[in-house]
Amino acid sequence: MKKVREAKEIIISINNTILNVELSIRDVDLIETLFDALTEYVKQGCAINVKQSYMTSPSDSVKMISKIITKGEQMDEWRHETRQLISVLRKKQ
């Protein structure tokens, strides 16, 4: 029988046009599952328009990334960039 793992905290906010999902950067397996799903979506021929904001430190200004992803290779690149950013942020905690 599988052992039940500790529940992950997921914060969902919904308004008229947006479903926003927040995950802890410590929940690497959950983040990877999300990236797996997005990768499959892109591989099915659907494009995604990514608008990502981040701060590497509390004294830093907010940085924005915007890109349209249409291919699996682009998805892999964005996933790698995001992993690196998360790694930097986790080291600062």
Side-chain angles (χ1 to χ4, degrees):
M1 188 161 95
K2 277 189 171 180
K3 183 179 177 182
V4 178
R5 295 190 210 175
E6 184 178 332
K8 307 283 185 171
E9 184 171 306
I10 300 174
I11 300 170
I12 306 286
S13 59
I14 303 171
N15 66 33
N16 292 340
T17 59
I18 302 292
L19 171 90
N20 191 31
V21 179
E22 294 182 35
L23 311 171
S24 170
I25 61 170
R26 291 185 205 108
D27 292 332
V28 176
D29 57 333
L30 187 53
I31 293 167
E32 287 299 321
T33 300
L34 177 63
F35 272 111
D36 288 343
L38 290 173
T39 299
E40 282 304 310
Y41 186 75
V42 169
K43 285 181 178 179
Q44 292 173 8
C46 302
I48 58 174
N49 186 356
V50 175
K51 295 176 183 167
Q52 179 177 341
S53 61
Y54 65 94
M55 290 175 41
T56 52
S57 72
S59 61
D60 204 5
S61 59
V62 174
K63 294 179 178 67
M64 298 286 296
I65 295 172
S66 181
K67 58 175 76 184
I68 296 174
I69 297 176
T70 59
K71 299 176 186 171
E73 296 82 22
Q74 293 170 310
M75 191 65 210
D76 293 341
E77 182 180 302
W78 176 51
R79 179 184 236 171
H80 179 71
E81 292 167 0
T82 302
R83 280 181 185 151
Q84 287 181 320
L85 176 59
I86 289 171
S87 177
V88 168
L89 294 172
R90 289 181 71 198
K91 287 178 184 173
K92 292 185 178 196
Q93 290 182 337

